[in-house]
Amino acid sequence: MKKFKRATVAFFIYLGFAVSLFPTNVLAHNNDDGSPPHLIRGVECEFLQSGHFRLKALPPNHATAWWGLKDDVVHWTPVLYRWDGTLYIKWQEPTIAPAYAYVHPYGFFQGPNPGWRSETGQGQLDFFPFHSLPSGTYKVLNMIQWDSNGHVHMEWSPNLCTF
């Protein structure tokens, strides 16, 4: 019986650790700044065989058109920040928003290619990579902008990477 209890406890500890490694989602919500509902996702941390680190910023799971509009275009820009021991300092920022999505009041349009599209390649965008990072702790500030009125909403990813 003791072996069973130990195995059960070990299993739940392992399960908790495994779940903590996955990107975290935050519930879709309205914000104090008046932004429509959206759902920010976390980041994924990777150690590459080359000895370098890569952080994958994941685009929001959900975004909607600005209040009262039947359709809109939303742009997403992840901005990478690095902890310097006292505060987070901007480390890297894409020169243009890497992704856009066509949305309506209930979420993404469900056409042939729904979801986030690459601004440059026009293909589906699953993540934006930040490559060759030195050791440190990193966090992503997600910037979402609506075409209809230019409103920009900023929100931190719910998790971070430490290499």
Side-chain angles (χ1 to χ4, degrees):
M1 192 66 168
K2 282 187 178 182
K3 285 185 180 181
F4 177 73
K5 286 182 182 177
R6 285 185 194 156
T8 303
V9 169
F11 170 75
F12 283 111
I13 290 171
Y14 171 76
L15 184 62
F17 175 73
V19 168
S20 72
L21 295 177
F22 288 100
T24 309
N25 287 334
V26 175
L27 295 176
H29 63 281
N30 300 336
N31 298 285
D32 293 337
D33 68 356
S35 299
H38 59 278
L39 179 64
I40 296 296
R41 292 170 59 199
V43 296
E44 293 180 358
C45 318
E46 291 186 335
F47 177 73
L48 305 175
Q49 289 181 346
S50 63
H52 291 99
F53 303 106
R54 176 172 63 182
L55 183 142
K56 291 180 179 178
L58 305 174
N61 262 349
H62 179 74
T64 58
W66 194 259
W67 303 108
L69 296 179
K70 67 178 188 173
D71 59 11
D72 208 343
V73 178
V74 179
H75 299 271
W76 170 69
T77 304
V79 181
L80 185 65
Y81 282 76
R82 184 171 189 251
W83 182 252
D84 75 351
T86 306
L87 56 118
Y88 282 98
I89 304 295
K90 188 185 293 187
W91 191 257
Q92 288 182 24
E93 181 176 1
T95 54
I96 62 166
Y100 68 94
Y102 296 106
V103 295
H104 55 70
Y106 307 104
F108 298 121
F109 279 122
Q110 297 301 311
N113 294 307
W116 295 99
R117 314 293 302 158
S118 168
E119 285 282 359
T120 55
Q122 305 304 317
Q124 197 115 21
L125 186 116
D126 296 324
F127 63 88
F128 183 82
F130 291 100
H131 295 285
S132 301
L133 299 173
S135 295
T137 298
Y138 297 89
K139 197 169 191 171
V140 169
L141 180 64
N142 294 278
M143 294 188 344
I144 304 170
Q145 183 171 14
W146 283 263
D147 261 6
S148 59
N149 63 3
H151 177 81
V152 175
H153 172 73
M154 293 184 267
E155 190 172 334
W156 291 104
S157 290
N159 63 333
L160 50 85
C161 290
T162 300
F163 303 113

